[in-house]
Amino acid sequence: MAHWRVFLYISMLLSILGAGCGTEAPKLPTGCTAHAAALGITDGRVAIFCGCAETAGTWLLNSAGLQCTVASGDTVVFHFLAPKTRHQIVSAAGEVDRFLASPVYDPQVEPVFRAHAVRFTQAGTYDFTDQFDHSLSARIVVTP
């Protein structure tokens, strides 16, 4: 009976220590088609999946400094990865180079959409943020 209690206490301790810590990133999809890039959006994080000049598999907590460089004419797909809170990708305030905002991702409203695609036809720098979580911000750089 004592072994059972030790196991129970260890299990409880591990579950408390790991609860909500968010240290593991969701699994990344692999492979982009030509002229496409994919970014992942989840609660508190942005990731580069593929198609950017920068390293694929890069996850940034609060996304400070995340940049995705693509060529003019490429499409960037923002994937919403089962976050538990609302998100909406919008051009950052004051941006000269702007793009169409995503619909509001709301996990409480059916049907839940999972992706938003933007085709960038003009070279420039496109800073974006999350309308509901301003700690999520990053940059798309479009080269000629």
Side-chain angles (χ1 to χ4, degrees):
M1 193 61 115
H3 294 288
W4 180 84
R5 285 186 182 168
V6 170
F7 175 75
L8 179 63
Y9 290 133
I10 291 172
S11 297
M12 288 173 37
L13 179 61
L14 289 175
S15 67
I16 290 169
L17 290 175
C21 64
T23 57
E24 290 187 35
K27 186 176 179 187
L28 297 175
T30 57
C32 281
T33 60
H35 306 292
L39 299 177
I41 308 294
T42 191
D43 297 336
R45 297 183 209 180
V46 175
I48 295 174
F49 289 167
C50 56
C52 301
E54 293 75 18
T55 304
T58 301
W59 279 94
L60 288 179
L61 185 61
N62 298 330
S63 60
L66 185 99
Q67 176 174 303
C68 174
T69 303
V70 296
S72 180
D74 286 359
T75 298
V76 175
V77 181
F78 299 89
H79 293 272
F80 295 89
L81 303 172
K84 296 179 180 167
T85 61
R86 294 188 309 167
H87 294 278
Q88 183 180 28
I89 300 304
V90 298
S91 292
E95 279 298 296
V96 174
D97 295 325
R98 301 183 70 77
F99 60 89
L100 182 64
S102 73
V104 174
Y105 170 91
D106 187 342
Q108 303 301 316
V109 176
E110 294 290 334
V112 174
F113 77 96
R114 293 286 179 205
H116 174 65
V118 178
R119 185 168 182 242
F120 291 92
T121 58
Q122 297 290 323
T125 300
Y126 299 83
D127 289 331
F128 66 88
T129 189
D130 184 323
Q131 185 68 23
F132 297 100
D133 179 359
H134 294 288
S135 71
L136 292 177
S137 61
R139 170 175 287 165
I140 306 292
V141 175
V142 181
T143 59

